[in-house]
Amino acid sequence: MTDHLAQTASQHISIAPLLKELTEQSNTKNATADEIATAISRIFENKLSPVQCSSLLSLLRATKRDRDPLVLAKCGQRMREAADQVDRKALRDVIRTRGRKEGSYRGGFCDLVGTGGDGWSTFNVSTTASVLASSLLLLSKHGNRASSSTSGSADLLQAIKPKAPVMGAVNAGVLPSLYEKTNYAFLFAPTFHPGMRHVAAIRKELGIRTIFNLLGPLANPIEGNIEARIVGVFHQELGPTFAEALRLSGARKGLVVCGEEQLDEISCAGKTKCWRLFERPNPAFRGPRDEEDENFTTSDEEAEPRTVVDIHEFTLEPSDFGLQSHALSKVSPGKMPEENAATLMRLLRDELPRDHPVLEFVLLNTAALFVIAGICDADTSDMGHGDNGEVIQENGPGGLRWKEGVRRARWAVESGQGLASLERYIEASHAAAGP
C-alpha cells in the first residue's frame, strides 16, 4: 500500500508556484490565463494531488479568477482538448448532407444549455426546447445528470417511457454516423469527458461551486462545429462574462440569457437580460467576401478577419414573443425525472393546452434558438405539413423576429415533428448500442 501511494504521488505535478500567486492578493493577476488553464488540464490527466486540486479550485473561486472571460475560454479549450475527439471532417459532411439551410442559418449544429445552479428547479425547459428545435436544426445537446436540481437533462431523457435512449452508446466514434439518422443527439458529459472522473470526489467533498460549474456550456465536444447556441447563466453579472468567453472561444452566433429572477433560462415570468453575439463584415478585411471564391481563406495569420463578432445587450419578456407571462411557481419546483418525462411526452404529443405554462415556457426558449440560428430571417416558409407559410416579419428587441420563432416552435409541436425527431434519436441510440 505504501509503495502504491508513493508511486501515485511521484506521478503528480506540483503547481505550488501558481497556488502561491493566487494566494497572495497582490499577485493574483500575475497568474496568467494560460497558466491556470494548464493547471486545470493536469486534472484531466490525474496529475494533480487531491490537496493541490482542491486548493486550485478554491483559490480560483476566492479570487474570482474563475469569472475571468479569458480564463474561462482557455480552460474550456483545455477541457475540450482532453475530451474524446470527434471526427471534424465527418461532422462537416453531416452539415453538407443533412443541414437545412434557411434564412441566415447555414445548416450547422446548435446547442441550448445552462450553467444550472439558479436554485429554481424548474421544468427541464432547455432539454425539451432542444428536442423541439431539432425539427428544423441540427442539435448537439451537451448535458449531464442533475447536480443542483431534482431532474437534470440526462435524468429526464433516461426516464422517458416506454423506451428511453441509450445515452452511453452515443460516443465520439459513433456520433457522425448517428447524425445520418437523426437531427438530434445528446452528448452525455461523462461519456465524452472521461477525465472529469478524477475531480468528481473532490468537487463533492468541497461542496461549493467551482470553475467546473461554469465550464459545461463552454465544453461541448464538437465546439468547432457549433454554429449557434443559447447559454443560460444563473446570475446577471455572469452575462457579459460568458458572452466575452464565448467570443474568445470563437463563437459567432449566440445568446447569453438570465431571467431577472436569476434564472438560467429565458423567463416565462418577466424580463430576461440578453447578450447577443453576432457577426458583421469587417471593414478592414481586404480579401474576397464571397465564400464560393477559391481565395476566400488566407494563410496570413496577421491578416484582418473577414468578419468580427459584436455583443449587443437588450431585454426580452414574454409579450415580445406574443405570449403571456406565467409565474415561476407554475413551472417549478421541478418534479422528479419520471414526472417531468411524462410532461415532456405530453407536450411533444400536443396534449397540453395551447396556453399551458410549461408549453409556453418551452416555446419561448425554442423560439429564441430558432431566431439566433437565423432561420427566422427567411421571408418565406415551407417547413412541411401544417405550415401555412405566413411568416411573421415583425421585429422585436434586438431587431429580431421573436414571434416568428414562436410560430415555428408551435409548428414543431402541432405537426408532430418534434416528437418524430426524439423518436429517431432514441432508435439511433439503440442501434448504436447494438444487440
Side-chain angles (χ1 to χ4, degrees), residues 253-348:
K253 284 183 186 176
L255 189 71
V256 180
V257 301
C258 184
E260 65 178 356
E261 311 87 356
Q262 310 306 331
L263 179 74
D264 71 336
E265 316 278 3
I266 295 178
S267 177
C268 61
K271 295 181 178 180
T272 298
K273 292 290 291 292
C274 303
W275 297 263
R276 179 194 175 207
L277 288 84
F278 63 97
E279 273 187 299
R280 63 175 176 81
N282 183 0
F285 179 69
R286 294 294 177 262
R289 297 184 181 277
D290 186 355
E291 293 188 33
E292 301 301 322
D293 192 308
E294 62 180 9
N295 296 316
F296 174 68
T297 59
T298 176
S299 60
D300 184 357
E301 294 182 358
E302 296 182 358
E304 289 287 342
R306 184 179 66 91
T307 62
V308 293
V309 176
D310 286 342
I311 298 173
H312 178 211
E313 182 178 338
F314 55 89
T315 301
L316 285 172
E317 52 190 307
S319 60
D320 296 318
F321 294 82
L323 300 173
Q324 59 184 311
S325 298
H326 300 279
L328 287 185
S329 60
K330 299 292 185 181
V331 294
S332 65
K335 310 296 184 182
M336 296 305 292
E338 293 75 17
E339 190 170 348
N340 281 348
T343 300
L344 162 69
M345 298 309 293
R346 287 185 61 208
L347 186 154
L348 293 176

XYZ file of all heavy atoms in Angstrom, residues 253-348:
754
model
N -22.313 33.104 -33.368
C -23.753 33.310 -33.174
C -24.096 32.776 -31.795
O -23.828 31.609 -31.496
C -24.583 32.513 -34.187
C -24.662 33.037 -35.589
C -25.592 32.106 -36.361
C -25.648 32.440 -37.843
N -26.490 31.459 -38.574
N -24.692 33.599 -30.975
C -25.056 33.098 -29.656
C -25.904 34.087 -28.895
O -25.962 35.279 -29.231
N -26.555 33.605 -27.864
C -27.352 34.444 -26.975
C -27.140 33.940 -25.557
O -27.420 32.782 -25.255
C -28.836 34.375 -27.340
C -29.752 35.370 -26.610
C -29.491 36.794 -27.106
C -31.223 35.006 -26.819
N -26.605 34.806 -24.713
C -26.470 34.508 -23.293
C -27.662 35.144 -22.590
O -27.979 36.318 -22.842
C -25.148 35.059 -22.727
C -25.025 34.746 -21.233
C -23.961 34.478 -23.489
N -28.335 34.391 -21.732
C -29.573 34.881 -21.123
C -29.568 34.666 -19.617
O -28.949 33.737 -19.105
C -30.816 34.184 -21.734
C -30.893 34.427 -23.231
C -30.814 32.686 -21.438
N -30.285 35.548 -18.910
C -30.507 35.394 -17.479
C -31.802 36.098 -17.108
O -31.935 37.315 -17.293
C -29.352 35.978 -16.671
S -29.519 35.705 -14.886
N -32.777 35.318 -16.618
C -34.028 35.908 -16.174
C -33.796 36.822 -14.992
O -32.856 36.622 -14.215
N -34.641 37.841 -14.836
C -34.434 38.811 -13.757
C -34.548 38.166 -12.376
O -34.121 38.741 -11.383
C -35.411 39.969 -13.887
C -36.876 39.625 -13.703
C -37.777 40.852 -13.795
O -37.242 41.963 -13.934
O -39.008 40.695 -13.728
N -35.086 36.946 -12.323
C -35.150 36.214 -11.060
C -33.850 35.434 -10.812
O -33.781 34.587 -9.941
C -36.322 35.217 -11.080
C -37.648 35.793 -11.541
C -37.811 35.733 -13.065
O -36.860 35.312 -13.763
O -38.892 36.115 -13.549
N -32.807 35.739 -11.614
C -31.542 34.987 -11.617
C -31.805 33.551 -12.078
O -31.355 32.572 -11.472
C -30.850 35.020 -10.246
C -30.704 36.393 -9.636
C -30.001 37.405 -10.559
O -29.187 37.055 -11.381
N -30.343 38.684 -10.400
N -32.523 33.455 -13.179
C -32.914 32.179 -13.783
C -32.049 31.935 -15.013
O -31.862 32.836 -15.830
C -34.391 32.246 -14.190
C -35.006 31.027 -14.872
C -35.234 29.921 -13.849
C -36.337 31.413 -15.528
N -31.536 30.705 -15.170
C -30.659 30.437 -16.314
C -31.438 29.956 -17.544
O -31.016 29.057 -18.269
C -29.552 29.441 -15.932
C -30.053 28.020 -15.721
O -31.253 27.861 -15.414
O -29.249 27.082 -15.851
N -32.548 30.591 -17.790
C -33.384 30.373 -18.979
C -33.982 31.719 -19.364
O -33.885 32.698 -18.617
C -34.557 29.415 -18.682
C -34.229 28.181 -17.880
C -33.640 27.050 -18.707
O -33.438 27.256 -19.923
O -33.372 25.989 -18.133
N -34.641 31.768 -20.517
C -35.489 32.917 -20.822
C -36.732 32.762 -19.970
O -37.437 31.759 -20.046
C -35.838 32.976 -22.321
C -34.552 33.205 -23.127
C -36.855 34.084 -22.597
C -34.768 33.233 -24.629
N -37.005 33.738 -19.142
C -38.050 33.621 -18.130
C -39.451 33.731 -18.736
O -39.703 34.579 -19.598
C -37.869 34.703 -17.064
O -38.917 34.653 -16.116
N -40.337 32.886 -18.233
C -41.744 32.979 -18.623
C -42.499 33.925 -17.696
O -43.682 34.196 -17.906
C -42.398 31.598 -18.601
S -42.402 30.804 -16.972
N -41.809 34.426 -16.661
C -42.474 35.229 -15.630
C -42.291 36.728 -15.807
O -43.100 37.517 -15.323
C -41.959 34.823 -14.252
N -41.232 37.130 -16.469
C -40.952 38.561 -16.573
C -39.818 38.829 -17.537
O -39.673 38.158 -18.563
N -38.955 39.764 -17.171
C -37.901 40.200 -18.083
C -36.678 39.286 -18.015
O -36.381 38.685 -16.985
C -37.491 41.633 -17.759
C -38.615 42.644 -17.997
C -38.171 44.062 -17.681
C -39.302 45.051 -17.972
N -38.901 46.448 -17.667
N -35.987 39.230 -19.139
C -34.751 38.459 -19.262
C -33.687 39.340 -19.892
O -33.914 39.932 -20.952
C -34.954 37.202 -20.139
O -35.921 36.343 -19.522
C -33.651 36.452 -20.331
N -32.541 39.431 -19.237
C -31.410 40.166 -19.818
C -30.732 39.264 -20.844
O -30.521 38.079 -20.600
C -30.404 40.572 -18.742
C -30.919 41.623 -17.770
C -31.074 42.987 -18.468
C -29.742 43.618 -18.843
N -28.942 44.035 -17.668
N -30.361 39.862 -21.977
C -29.770 39.103 -23.072
C -28.505 39.777 -23.581
O -28.432 41.012 -23.654
C -30.754 38.974 -24.241
S -32.343 38.227 -23.825
N -27.542 38.944 -23.943
C -26.314 39.416 -24.567
C -26.137 38.601 -25.845
O -25.859 37.399 -25.793
C -25.121 39.224 -23.637
C -25.221 40.028 -22.371
C -24.657 41.239 -22.124
C -25.934 39.676 -21.174
N -24.976 41.665 -20.856
C -25.746 40.728 -20.247
C -26.703 38.574 -20.788
C -26.307 40.701 -18.974
C -27.266 38.545 -19.533
C -27.063 39.601 -18.631
N -26.307 39.244 -26.977
C -26.276 38.537 -28.261
C -24.923 38.703 -28.951
O -24.412 39.821 -29.078
C -27.378 39.060 -29.171
C -27.404 38.390 -30.548
C -28.268 39.138 -31.520
N -28.196 38.572 -32.864
C -28.399 39.255 -33.982
N -28.729 40.549 -33.923
N -28.288 38.680 -35.158
N -24.356 37.589 -29.391
C -23.161 37.612 -30.221
C -23.587 37.486 -31.677
O -24.376 36.589 -32.018
C -22.226 36.433 -29.887
C -21.472 36.472 -28.561
C -22.350 35.951 -27.428
C -20.205 35.629 -28.646
N -23.091 38.370 -32.529
C -23.448 38.299 -33.935
C -22.296 38.793 -34.802
O -21.502 39.649 -34.406
C -24.713 39.114 -34.225
C -24.571 40.591 -33.975
C -24.295 41.474 -35.013
C -24.705 41.106 -32.691
C -24.155 42.833 -34.776
C -24.570 42.468 -32.450
C -24.292 43.337 -33.498
N -22.230 38.226 -35.990
C -21.186 38.582 -36.944
C -21.575 39.800 -37.757
O -22.738 39.998 -38.087
C -20.973 37.425 -37.921
C -20.002 36.375 -37.491
C -19.756 35.381 -38.612
O -20.712 34.721 -39.038
O -18.598 35.271 -39.047
N -20.581 40.583 -38.102
C -20.773 41.644 -39.082
C -19.513 41.722 -39.934
O -18.425 41.327 -39.503
C -21.070 42.985 -38.412
C -19.946 43.520 -37.548
C -20.259 44.915 -37.019
N -19.237 45.395 -36.108
C -18.079 45.938 -36.492
N -17.796 46.058 -37.783
N -17.198 46.345 -35.590
N -19.631 42.230 -41.160
C -18.453 42.334 -42.020
C -17.393 43.236 -41.386
O -17.714 44.255 -40.762
C -19.015 42.955 -43.303
C -20.466 42.621 -43.284
C -20.873 42.641 -41.840
N -16.154 42.848 -41.545
C -15.035 43.637 -41.036
C -14.589 44.619 -42.109
O -14.091 44.201 -43.163
C -13.880 42.705 -40.654
C -12.698 43.455 -40.049
O -12.724 44.670 -39.900
N -11.657 42.719 -39.711
N -14.763 45.917 -41.879
C -14.387 46.893 -42.912
C -12.899 46.883 -43.229
O -12.486 47.360 -44.297
C -14.816 48.235 -42.303
C -14.917 47.985 -40.835
C -15.327 46.561 -40.687
N -12.090 46.329 -42.313
C -10.638 46.298 -42.537
C -10.199 45.099 -43.370
O -9.034 45.011 -43.768
C -9.902 46.290 -41.194
N -11.131 44.174 -43.650
C -10.786 42.974 -44.421
C -10.557 43.347 -45.879
O -11.336 44.100 -46.476
C -11.912 41.949 -44.308
C -11.672 40.680 -45.074
C -10.680 39.803 -44.673
C -12.434 40.363 -46.186
C -10.451 38.615 -45.371
C -12.221 39.194 -46.885
C -11.221 38.320 -46.482
N -9.493 42.817 -46.472
C -9.139 43.173 -47.844
C -9.235 42.007 -48.820
O -8.928 42.156 -49.993
C -7.705 43.732 -47.878
C -7.566 45.061 -47.134
C -8.363 46.169 -47.836
N -8.312 47.437 -47.119
C -9.247 47.872 -46.304
N -10.346 47.129 -46.103
N -9.143 49.038 -45.692
N -9.664 40.859 -48.368
C -9.761 39.698 -49.233
C -11.141 39.548 -49.845
O -12.019 40.407 -49.685
N -11.381 38.443 -50.563
C -12.701 38.197 -51.171
C -13.769 37.976 -50.107
O -13.492 37.396 -49.052
C -12.469 36.926 -51.995
C -11.308 36.256 -51.331
C -10.427 37.355 -50.837
N -14.964 38.430 -50.342
C -16.047 38.307 -49.368
C -17.009 37.170 -49.701
O -17.893 36.852 -48.919
C -16.818 39.624 -49.260
C -15.922 40.753 -48.745
C -16.675 42.055 -48.541
N -15.770 43.100 -48.065
C -15.409 43.275 -46.809
N -15.880 42.472 -45.882
N -14.574 44.231 -46.461
N -16.850 36.591 -50.878
C -17.721 35.509 -51.307
C -17.133 34.172 -50.855
O -16.004 33.829 -51.216
C -17.859 35.538 -52.828
C -18.868 34.519 -53.339
O -19.385 33.734 -52.518
O -19.133 34.519 -54.555
N -17.889 33.406 -50.074
C -17.407 32.120 -49.582
C -17.129 31.141 -50.708
O -16.390 30.170 -50.532
C -18.411 31.507 -48.590
C -18.543 32.279 -47.301
C -19.377 31.537 -46.282
O -19.319 30.301 -46.274
O -20.078 32.183 -45.488
N -17.720 31.376 -51.896
C -17.505 30.483 -53.019
C -16.188 30.778 -53.722
O -15.710 29.990 -54.538
C -18.664 30.609 -54.029
C -20.036 30.297 -53.434
C -20.105 28.887 -52.870
O -19.520 27.970 -53.498
O -20.726 28.696 -51.816
N -15.595 31.932 -53.438
C -14.325 32.309 -54.063
C -13.230 31.372 -53.564
O -13.080 31.126 -52.373
C -13.982 33.753 -53.698
C -12.838 34.313 -54.539
O -11.783 33.653 -54.594
O -13.003 35.406 -55.131
N -12.406 30.838 -54.477
C -11.367 29.886 -54.084
C -10.304 30.518 -53.196
O -9.556 29.834 -52.511
C -10.705 29.284 -55.330
C -9.995 30.313 -56.199
C -9.351 29.678 -57.421
O -9.599 28.486 -57.667
O -8.606 30.373 -58.123
N -10.226 31.859 -53.201
C -9.268 32.565 -52.354
C -9.918 33.126 -51.100
O -9.410 34.046 -50.486
C -8.610 33.707 -53.145
C -7.794 33.190 -54.313
O -7.053 32.228 -54.165
N -7.960 33.817 -55.476
N -11.084 32.540 -50.741
C -11.852 33.056 -49.601
C -11.038 33.033 -48.312
O -11.099 33.939 -47.502
C -13.123 32.211 -49.433
C -13.926 32.549 -48.218
C -14.579 33.761 -48.115
C -14.029 31.649 -47.162
C -15.328 34.079 -46.988
C -14.773 31.956 -46.039
C -15.421 33.168 -45.952
N -10.256 31.989 -48.096
C -9.425 31.909 -46.902
C -8.015 32.381 -47.205
O -7.615 32.468 -48.363
C -9.371 30.462 -46.374
O -8.838 29.615 -47.392
C -10.745 29.978 -45.993
N -7.289 32.688 -46.160
C -5.918 33.155 -46.318
C -5.018 32.464 -45.308
O -5.464 32.099 -44.224
C -5.820 34.682 -46.125
O -4.443 35.066 -46.198
C -6.380 35.110 -44.790
N -3.774 32.259 -45.680
C -2.814 31.642 -44.760
C -2.085 32.691 -43.936
O -1.266 32.356 -43.088
C -1.797 30.804 -45.552
O -1.090 31.628 -46.472
N -2.374 33.958 -44.187
C -1.720 35.043 -43.467
C -2.357 35.189 -42.088
O -3.479 35.682 -41.963
C -1.837 36.350 -44.260
C -1.089 37.515 -43.591
O -0.539 37.295 -42.498
O -1.067 38.609 -44.167
N -1.663 34.739 -41.043
C -2.232 34.773 -39.704
C -2.410 36.190 -39.189
O -3.181 36.419 -38.253
C -1.339 33.972 -38.746
C -1.308 32.485 -39.060
C -0.470 31.707 -38.073
O 0.110 32.346 -37.158
O -0.391 30.468 -38.194
N -1.691 37.154 -39.763
C -1.790 38.529 -39.300
C -2.836 39.329 -40.075
O -3.072 40.493 -39.780
C -0.421 39.213 -39.415
C 0.644 38.585 -38.518
C 1.970 39.308 -38.606
O 2.066 40.284 -39.394
O 2.906 38.914 -37.892
N -3.433 38.709 -41.097
C -4.434 39.402 -41.896
C -5.684 39.670 -41.075
O -6.022 38.914 -40.158
C -4.785 38.576 -43.130
N -6.377 40.744 -41.402
C -7.634 41.055 -40.735
C -8.667 39.981 -41.066
O -8.738 39.519 -42.210
C -8.149 42.422 -41.191
C -7.339 43.600 -40.684
C -7.572 43.861 -39.211
O -8.586 43.361 -38.671
O -6.745 44.555 -38.597
N -9.484 39.562 -40.094
C -10.509 38.548 -40.371
C -11.615 39.108 -41.257
O -11.838 40.320 -41.317
C -11.041 38.208 -38.979
C -10.772 39.434 -38.154
C -9.482 39.991 -38.682
N -12.305 38.220 -41.946
C -13.389 38.624 -42.845
C -14.534 39.275 -42.083
O -15.169 40.213 -42.551
C -13.903 37.404 -43.624
C -14.972 37.729 -44.671
C -15.382 36.465 -45.404
N -16.048 35.535 -44.534
C -17.375 35.502 -44.352
N -18.156 36.366 -44.983
N -17.908 34.621 -43.550
N -14.815 38.737 -40.886
C -15.894 39.280 -40.061
C -15.394 39.516 -38.644
O -14.360 38.985 -38.245
C -17.096 38.315 -40.002
O -16.679 37.086 -39.400
C -17.665 38.055 -41.388
N -16.133 40.319 -37.921
C -15.878 40.500 -36.489
C -17.163 40.175 -35.748
O -18.257 40.201 -36.323
C -15.411 41.936 -36.164
C -14.047 42.204 -36.749
C -16.430 42.959 -36.650
N -17.020 39.856 -34.474
C -18.180 39.486 -33.662
C -18.433 40.579 -32.633
O -17.545 40.935 -31.860
C -17.955 38.132 -32.956
C -19.127 37.800 -32.035
C -17.758 37.021 -33.979
N -19.636 41.117 -32.660
C -20.046 42.138 -31.694
C -20.976 41.520 -30.653
O -21.557 40.448 -30.873
C -20.774 43.288 -32.396
C -19.822 44.187 -33.173
O -18.603 44.142 -32.904
O -20.298 44.927 -34.048
N -21.125 42.216 -29.530
C -22.045 41.797 -28.467
C -23.045 42.920 -28.229
O -22.658 44.069 -27.993
C -21.288 41.472 -27.166
C -20.320 40.300 -27.392
C -22.275 41.137 -26.042
C -19.412 40.015 -26.220
N -24.322 42.597 -28.315
C -25.397 43.575 -28.153
C -26.269 43.161 -26.977
O -26.728 42.018 -26.907
C -26.232 43.651 -29.437
C -27.386 44.598 -29.359
N -28.558 44.404 -30.053
C -27.551 45.748 -28.658
C -29.400 45.389 -29.776
N -28.811 46.206 -28.944
N -26.500 44.066 -26.059
C -27.304 43.776 -24.868
C -28.713 44.341 -25.020
O -28.898 45.471 -25.477
C -26.623 44.392 -23.635
C -27.340 44.114 -22.323
C -26.605 44.693 -21.115
O -25.383 44.932 -21.215
O -27.261 44.913 -20.083
N -29.708 43.541 -24.651
C -31.096 44.008 -24.668
C -31.913 43.164 -23.703
O -31.398 42.239 -23.071
C -31.695 43.970 -26.081
C -31.611 42.618 -26.763
C -32.615 41.676 -26.613
C -30.530 42.316 -27.579
C -32.543 40.438 -27.234
C -30.437 41.083 -28.220
C -31.446 40.146 -28.050
N -33.194 43.475 -23.588
C -34.086 42.775 -22.654
C -35.262 42.183 -23.409
O -35.803 42.805 -24.325
C -34.602 43.756 -21.576
O -33.489 44.294 -20.873
C -35.510 43.042 -20.585
N -35.644 40.972 -23.021
C -36.813 40.301 -23.584
C -37.837 40.039 -22.490
O -37.489 39.920 -21.317
C -36.414 38.950 -24.198
C -35.681 38.944 -25.535
C -35.209 37.531 -25.846
C -36.573 39.476 -26.646
N -39.095 39.928 -22.889
C -40.155 39.466 -21.990
C -41.176 38.694 -22.817
O -41.186 38.785 -24.057
C -40.789 40.627 -21.233
C -41.262 41.786 -22.058
C -41.645 42.945 -21.144
O -42.442 42.726 -20.226
O -41.131 44.058 -21.354
N -42.024 37.890 -22.179
C -42.942 37.020 -22.927
C -43.777 37.750 -23.980
O -44.038 37.186 -25.054
C -43.815 36.419 -21.823
C -42.908 36.364 -20.634
C -42.092 37.621 -20.718
N -44.190 38.981 -23.712
C -45.013 39.697 -24.682
C -44.277 39.930 -25.999
O -44.912 40.067 -27.053
C -45.476 41.039 -24.098
O -44.366 41.855 -23.765
N -42.947 39.975 -25.975
C -42.176 40.132 -27.214
C -42.334 38.923 -28.119
O -42.117 39.010 -29.334
C -40.689 40.346 -26.900
C -40.432 41.628 -26.130
O -41.050 42.652 -26.464
O -39.618 41.602 -25.188
N -42.700 37.792 -27.524
C -42.925 36.559 -28.275
C -44.407 36.362 -28.605
O -44.782 35.357 -29.204
C -42.446 35.364 -27.462
C -40.967 35.312 -27.219
C -40.385 36.060 -26.195
C -40.138 34.518 -27.996
C -39.017 35.997 -25.951
C -38.769 34.450 -27.760
C -38.202 35.201 -26.737
N -45.242 37.306 -28.156
C -46.680 37.157 -28.346
C -47.295 36.195 -27.353
O -48.390 35.659 -27.595
N -46.628 35.973 -26.213
C -47.103 35.037 -25.203
C -47.388 35.764 -23.898
O -46.873 36.859 -23.657
C -46.063 33.943 -24.962
C -45.706 33.079 -26.179
C -44.548 32.149 -25.855
C -46.915 32.275 -26.655
N -48.201 35.154 -23.058
C -48.499 35.744 -21.758
C -47.455 35.333 -20.737
O -46.687 34.387 -20.951
C -49.889 35.320 -21.287
C -50.085 33.820 -21.140
C -51.503 33.450 -20.759
O -52.076 34.014 -19.826
N -52.092 32.508 -21.474
N -47.407 36.054 -19.638
C -46.475 35.728 -18.562
C -47.071 34.677 -17.639
O -48.290 34.604 -17.459
C -46.132 36.991 -17.759
O -45.488 37.948 -18.570
N -46.197 33.859 -17.059
C -46.606 32.839 -16.090
C -45.650 32.887 -14.911
O -44.430 32.917 -15.099
C -46.566 31.434 -16.706
C -47.463 31.255 -17.882
N -48.811 31.017 -17.770
C -47.191 31.287 -19.224
C -49.337 30.897 -18.978
N -48.379 31.050 -19.873
N -46.190 32.903 -13.713
C -45.333 32.889 -12.524
C -44.464 31.642 -12.524
O -44.885 30.567 -12.976
C -46.195 32.917 -11.266
N -43.234 31.783 -12.020
C -42.332 30.631 -11.984
C -42.886 29.499 -11.121
O -42.526 28.334 -11.309
C -40.953 31.045 -11.470
C -40.091 31.869 -12.430
C -38.713 32.102 -11.832
C -39.967 31.195 -13.793
N -43.772 29.837 -10.200
C -44.388 28.790 -9.372
C -45.216 27.821 -10.219
O -45.485 26.690 -9.802
C -45.278 29.419 -8.300
O -46.317 30.200 -8.892
N -45.605 28.263 -11.431
C -46.378 27.400 -12.322
C -45.490 26.378 -13.047
O -45.993 25.393 -13.599
C -47.128 28.248 -13.363
C -48.121 29.235 -12.783
C -49.309 28.541 -12.150
C -50.353 29.549 -11.679
N -51.511 28.879 -11.037
N -44.187 26.630 -13.063
C -43.264 25.720 -13.759
C -42.176 25.193 -12.824
O -41.197 24.585 -13.273
C -42.620 26.412 -14.980
C -43.662 26.728 -16.025
C -41.872 27.673 -14.566
N -42.324 25.472 -11.531
C -41.375 24.985 -10.526
C -42.144 24.865 -9.201
O -43.228 25.429 -9.057
C -40.187 25.951 -10.381
O -40.606 27.196 -9.867
N -41.658 24.176 -8.173
C -40.384 23.472 -8.216
C -40.431 22.272 -9.143
O -41.503 21.720 -9.411
C -40.184 23.027 -6.768
C -41.579 22.900 -6.242
C -42.363 23.992 -6.899
N -39.279 21.919 -9.665
C -39.199 20.806 -10.593
C -39.641 19.503 -9.952
O -39.449 19.280 -8.759
N -40.225 18.674 -10.748
C -40.667 17.350 -10.281
C -39.515 16.362 -10.430
O -38.435 16.678 -10.898
C -41.869 16.902 -11.099
C -42.980 17.942 -11.203
C -43.615 18.265 -9.867
C -44.785 19.233 -10.033
N -45.392 19.593 -8.731
N -39.783 15.148 -10.074
C -38.805 14.083 -10.278
C -38.739 13.764 -11.768
O -39.677 14.066 -12.531
C -39.193 12.857 -9.464
C -39.160 13.089 -7.961
S -37.553 13.699 -7.369
C -36.522 12.249 -7.654
N -37.641 13.155 -12.225
C -37.466 12.918 -13.660
C -38.629 12.192 -14.320
O -39.001 12.529 -15.455
C -36.188 12.077 -13.703
C -35.422 12.490 -12.499
C -36.463 12.750 -11.446
N -39.209 11.217 -13.628
C -40.301 10.445 -14.230
C -41.496 11.340 -14.557
O -42.119 11.202 -15.621
C -40.729 9.315 -13.290
C -39.682 8.237 -13.086
C -38.529 8.668 -12.174
O -38.697 9.691 -11.448
O -37.480 8.007 -12.197
N -41.819 12.267 -13.651
C -42.964 13.158 -13.884
C -42.640 14.174 -14.968
O -43.483 14.493 -15.814
C -43.338 13.867 -12.578
C -44.654 14.621 -12.677
C -45.151 15.118 -11.330
O -44.599 14.700 -10.292
O -46.094 15.932 -11.329
N -41.412 14.689 -14.945
C -41.018 15.632 -15.994
C -41.001 14.958 -17.362
O -41.373 15.569 -18.373
C -39.642 16.222 -15.685
C -39.700 17.324 -14.646
O -40.780 17.813 -14.307
N -38.553 17.717 -14.123
N -40.558 13.695 -17.414
C -40.531 12.974 -18.684
C -41.945 12.764 -19.214
O -42.188 12.853 -20.424
C -39.823 11.631 -18.514
N -42.886 12.508 -18.306
C -44.279 12.351 -18.730
C -44.806 13.660 -19.305
O -45.525 13.667 -20.315
C -45.132 11.898 -17.544
N -44.448 14.781 -18.690
C -44.861 16.089 -19.208
C -44.215 16.357 -20.557
O -44.855 16.888 -21.479
C -44.478 17.204 -18.212
O -45.120 16.960 -16.967
C -44.891 18.573 -18.734
N -42.937 16.002 -20.687
C -42.248 16.154 -21.972
C -42.998 15.431 -23.078
O -43.246 16.003 -24.162
C -40.825 15.605 -21.859
C -40.095 15.277 -23.170
C -39.779 16.563 -23.930
C -38.821 14.490 -22.908
N -43.399 14.188 -22.840
C -44.069 13.417 -23.880
C -45.456 13.955 -24.169
O -45.899 13.966 -25.329
C -44.121 11.940 -23.472
C -42.744 11.290 -23.307
S -41.644 11.551 -24.722
C -42.515 10.598 -25.982
N -46.159 14.428 -23.141
C -47.473 15.052 -23.381
C -47.313 16.297 -24.240
O -48.115 16.555 -25.144
C -48.144 15.423 -22.055
C -48.674 14.245 -21.241
C -49.423 14.753 -20.016
N -50.563 15.564 -20.379
C -51.076 16.547 -19.635
N -50.518 16.841 -18.460
N -52.127 17.223 -20.051
N -46.281 17.070 -23.961
C -46.034 18.286 -24.749
C -45.747 17.925 -26.201
O -46.333 18.514 -27.133
C -44.863 19.054 -24.139
C -44.517 20.433 -24.712
C -43.834 21.285 -23.641
C -43.619 20.357 -25.945
N -44.856 16.948 -26.425
C -44.487 16.581 -27.790
C -45.644 15.948 -28.547
O -45.698 16.025 -29.787
C -43.298 15.620 -27.766
C -41.968 16.205 -27.267
C -40.898 15.120 -27.205
C -41.505 17.361 -28.152
